[in-house]
Amino acid sequence: MIQIAIVGAGPSGCYLAQALLKAVPGAHIDILDRLPVPFGLVRYGVAPDHQGTKAVARQFARLFEKQGVGFIGNVTLGQEGEGGTLSLSELQSAYDVVVLALGLPKDRALPLPGAALPGVIGAGQLTRHWNDHPDDSASLPDLGRRVVIVGQGNVAIDVLRILAKRAEHFDGSDLAHRHSDHIAAAGIESIDILGRSPAHEAKFDPVMVKELAKLPHMGFAFEGLAHSGAASQDDARLEALANLPAAADHDIRVTFHFGATPTRLTGTDRVSAAQFDCDGAELSLPCDTVVSAIGFETHVPGLRDDLLAGAEDAALGVLRPGLYAAGWFARGPRGTIPENRQAAQALAARIAQDLGTLPKTSKTGAAALAARLSGLTDYAGWQRIDAAELAACDAGRVRAKVADLTDMLTLAAGRAQDHPETET
C-alpha cells in the first residue's frame, strides 16, 4: 500500500487529503501535526467571531471519521538528531510521499526602528492568543486606549473588529470570557489603520469592511482617499468604505489612512507614537499599542528556503518526486481558505502522476513513527479534547478551548475527563 504523509493538519493539508483520496485510490494517508488537535489555521488563525468560516472543520472531520485518513498528533518535524523530533529524512524513510503543509505561523516583523518596544505586537500572535493557541495563550497582550494597526489586509480588519467589539458581540463565538474582559478593560478609544496602497488597491475584502458597519458604537474617518481619485466609483472597496458611518459622537473612532508608509516607532518604556510618510509629509500618531499586520513567514526558514530554491516546480508545490509542499508553505501568505482546494486538486494530480515513476517500496508509515517516537496522539485523542471543550463551554460561547499543551496531552491520552483549569 502506498503510504502518504501530509505534515500540517490545517486547511491546505486537509484539502490535499480530500483530493488525494480521489487521485490515488487505495493509498493510506496520514496527516501529522505538532499539536494533538487538527485543523490548524481554522482553529487558531480564523477570528473567534467568524464561526461560519470555522465550520469548514466539520467537512474536514469526515476525513478522519469516515474516509480512513489517519491523524498523528504531537509530532514535530525538526533537525536530524534532535530528541523528540522527526527529521525530514526519517519521515521520507517511513512514507512513499511526503507533503509539507506547515503554513506560515510567524508574524513578519516590522522592519522599523522601535519595532521591539513594548506595546508592539504581531497580528498573528494576537489572533493565536485570542484563539488559545498553546504557544501564545499565556501572555496577555498589553493593550492601551490608542491603537495603531499597520497593514490593511483581512487579518488587520479582523484585529480591528475584535478590538472594537463589545462583550455582547462575542455571543456565539469561541472567544473565552477572559479575552473579552481583557479587551473591554483596555478601554480602547481610537484605532488608526494604515496601509501603503490607495483605498481601491487595499488588501482587505470589501465584505470585511461591510461587517464593521454593523457595530453602532464605531464611527469612521478617512485620510488619503484622494489617491483613489481616478478609480471607478463602482469599486467594491470604495463602496464599502463609503457606507461606513462617519465619526461623530461614537465610543470608538476608527481612521483609515491610505498611502501611508511606516517609518519608525518611538517611545521609552513602551511605544508612544508611530511615524508614517504620506507623500513626503510626516504623520505622527500618538499611540500606546501598535499591531503589525504585514504578513507571515515560516518558523523554519532554512528548511523552506532551501527546499523551494531547489524545487522542480515551486508554483505547483513539487519539490522533487516524492516530496511536495502545499498551501502557504509553498505559495506564501496569500489566498483564502477555499482557494486551497483548487491548488490541492492540481497537486494531487501531479502526485498521482509521479507515483508511476517512483520505485516500488514497502514502507510502513505510521508504524515506523510509533517505533521511533513516544507520546504520539491520534484522532480519538482529539475527540476527547473536543468533548471536554464542549462540556466546559460557558453561556454565550460555542466551546471553551484547552489552552495548555500539557493539559491537551493529558486529555488526549484519556487520563483526565474534566476540563483542566486554563491559566491566564
Side-chain angles (χ1 to χ4, degrees):
M1 176 183 292
I2 294 169
Q3 301 283 346
I4 300 175
I6 301 172
V7 186
S12 59
C14 289
Y15 275 128
L16 182 63
Q18 288 179 334
L20 285 169
L21 286 171
K22 296 178 181 178
V24 191
H28 177 77
I29 303 168
D30 288 321
I31 300 182
L32 285 57
D33 202 284
R34 74 181 181 93
L35 295 178
V37 295
F39 312 136
L41 186 71
V42 175
R43 179 176 166 94
Y44 291 120
V46 173
D49 60 339
H50 276 180
Q51 291 298 308
T53 304
K54 287 176 179 273
V56 72
R58 291 198 288 271
Q59 175 192 141
F60 295 150
R62 290 199 291 270
L63 288 167
F64 309 107
E65 296 171 1
K66 297 183 177 180
Q67 295 177 286
V69 174
F71 174 72
I72 304 175
N74 197 31
V75 55
T76 301
L77 194 65
Q79 298 297 320
E80 197 90 39
E82 290 182 343
T85 64
L86 191 70
S87 70
L88 182 56
S89 62
E90 288 178 305
L91 188 58
Q92 290 189 276
S93 296
Y95 288 87
D96 299 289
V97 171
V98 171
V99 185
L100 303 177
L102 297 162
L104 297 175
K106 184 180 176 183
D107 285 291
R108 191 155 70 88
L110 267 176
L112 300 177
L117 283 166
V120 181
I121 187 171
Q125 182 184 354
L126 195 54
T127 304
R128 288 192 298 276
H129 169 76
W130 288 331
N131 272 307
D132 292 309
H133 191 292
D135 289 351
D136 297 292
S137 65
S139 56
L140 284 173
D142 185 11
L143 300 175
R145 294 188 175 188
R146 296 175 298 184
V147 178
V148 166
I149 300 174
V150 181
Q152 292 181 329
N154 287 343
V155 174
I157 302 295
D158 274 339
V159 169
L160 188 162
R161 185 185 67 255
I162 291 176
L163 288 176
K165 276 190 169 183
R166 301 296 190 227
E168 63 270 22
H169 297 140
F170 293 110
D171 285 351
S173 76
D174 60 5
L175 186 79
H177 286 290
R178 68 187 179 104
H179 298 313
S180 52
D181 291 347
H182 179 247
I183 294 169
I188 293 170
E189 298 171 348
S190 67
I191 301 174
D192 290 88
I193 178 167
L194 302 97
R196 299 170 186 260
S197 302
H200 65 285
E201 294 178 358
K203 302 299 183 185
F204 59 74
D205 188 322
V207 173
M208 299 283 287
V209 170
K210 290 178 181 178
E211 188 177 350
L212 299 176
K214 299 175 183 176
L215 301 173
H217 62 287
M218 297 167 62
F220 296 84
F222 306 96
E223 299 290 344
L225 281 178
H227 292 287
S228 296
S232 167
Q233 294 305 306
D234 295 330
D235 182 86
R237 293 177 182 83
L238 295 179
E239 180 183 3
L241 292 169
N243 287 325
L244 292 173
D249 188 21
H250 294 89
D251 294 343
I252 297 179
R253 177 188 179 93
V254 176
T255 305
F256 280 85
H257 302 258
F258 300 101
T261 301
T263 55
R264 68 184 186 277
L265 308 176
T266 57
T268 51
D269 296 335
R270 68 174 294 147
V271 64
S272 59
Q275 273 79 39
F276 295 83
D277 180 273
C278 302
D279 287 339
E282 183 178 86
L283 170 67
S284 181
L285 295 172
C287 61
D288 42 32
T289 304
V290 172
V291 181
S292 169
I294 60 170
F296 301 93
E297 60 189 14
T298 181
H299 60 307
V300 282
L303 175 67
R304 180 173 185 265
D305 294 346
D306 291 347
L307 290 173
L308 290 179
E312 182 175 320
D313 185 343
L316 185 58
V318 182
L319 302 175
R320 56 180 180 265
L323 181 62
Y324 307 86
W328 279 12
F329 190 83
R331 303 189 304 276
R334 58 183 181 273
T336 64
I337 287 176
E339 288 174 14
N340 283 295
R341 186 172 187 174
Q342 186 174 2
Q345 290 169 344
L347 180 58
R350 173 58 186 267
I351 291 172
Q353 175 185 324
D354 286 350
L355 279 171
T357 67
L358 295 177
K360 303 297 182 185
T361 63
S362 56
K363 298 186 178 181
T364 57
L369 300 193
R372 164 69 174 81
L373 298 169
S374 61
L376 299 178
T377 64
D378 58 13
Y379 192 75
W382 151 242
Q383 289 178 307
R384 284 189 281 273
I385 296 171
D386 184 37
E389 291 183 344
L390 295 176
C393 187
D394 293 328
R397 299 295 187 264
V398 297
R399 74 168 55 238
K401 287 182 181 175
V402 179
D404 181 85
L405 181 58
T406 301
D407 292 340
M408 282 182 174
L409 294 172
T410 299
L411 282 164
R415 294 196 296 268
Q417 297 302 314
D418 297 327
H419 194 317
E421 292 292 330
T422 299
E423 301 292 338
T424 57

